[in-house]
Amino acid sequence: VGVEIWSATNINQLQREAFQAERYSRLHPLEPKKSCWIKECFGDYDGVSVISTDSISQYHLLIDKYVGGEFVVLGTDGFGRSDTREKLRRFFEIDAESIAVGALS
């Protein structure tokens, strides 16, 4: 199984940059379309991209339309029920094993 691992610390910034590129292209139709970092890296990708986060999954769907292929978000939707971060990640299925399953599904 081929895999690439990326780290994104600011999903909001990625979405904001993509939105600004879309807006610029819409307002300047005669100029070449602007691109954004997330689309340049993942836009033509036809595999599975998995995001695992300690926050809610809906937030990371902001960049879904800029990522090619299947986009899987694993997040902690709900309240923590564990006493350690490791147990929390296991409970919400955002641990290493769950990421591997998400990539293979």
Side-chain angles (χ1 to χ4, degrees), residues 30-77:
L30 301 178
E31 295 183 25
K33 287 191 173 201
K34 283 216 173 199
S35 188
C36 59
W37 188 87
I38 190 77
K39 200 164 192 170
E40 288 173 9
C41 293
F42 297 103
D44 294 333
Y45 187 63
D46 63 355
V48 178
S49 297
V50 179
I51 286 188
S52 177
T53 176
D54 283 346
S55 62
I56 61 171
S57 60
Q58 295 299 312
Y59 180 66
H60 294 78
L61 291 174
L62 289 170
I63 63 168
D64 181 28
K65 73 181 203 173
Y66 307 108
V67 178
E70 185 179 353
F71 190 64
V72 178
V73 180
L74 306 174
T76 57
D77 297 325

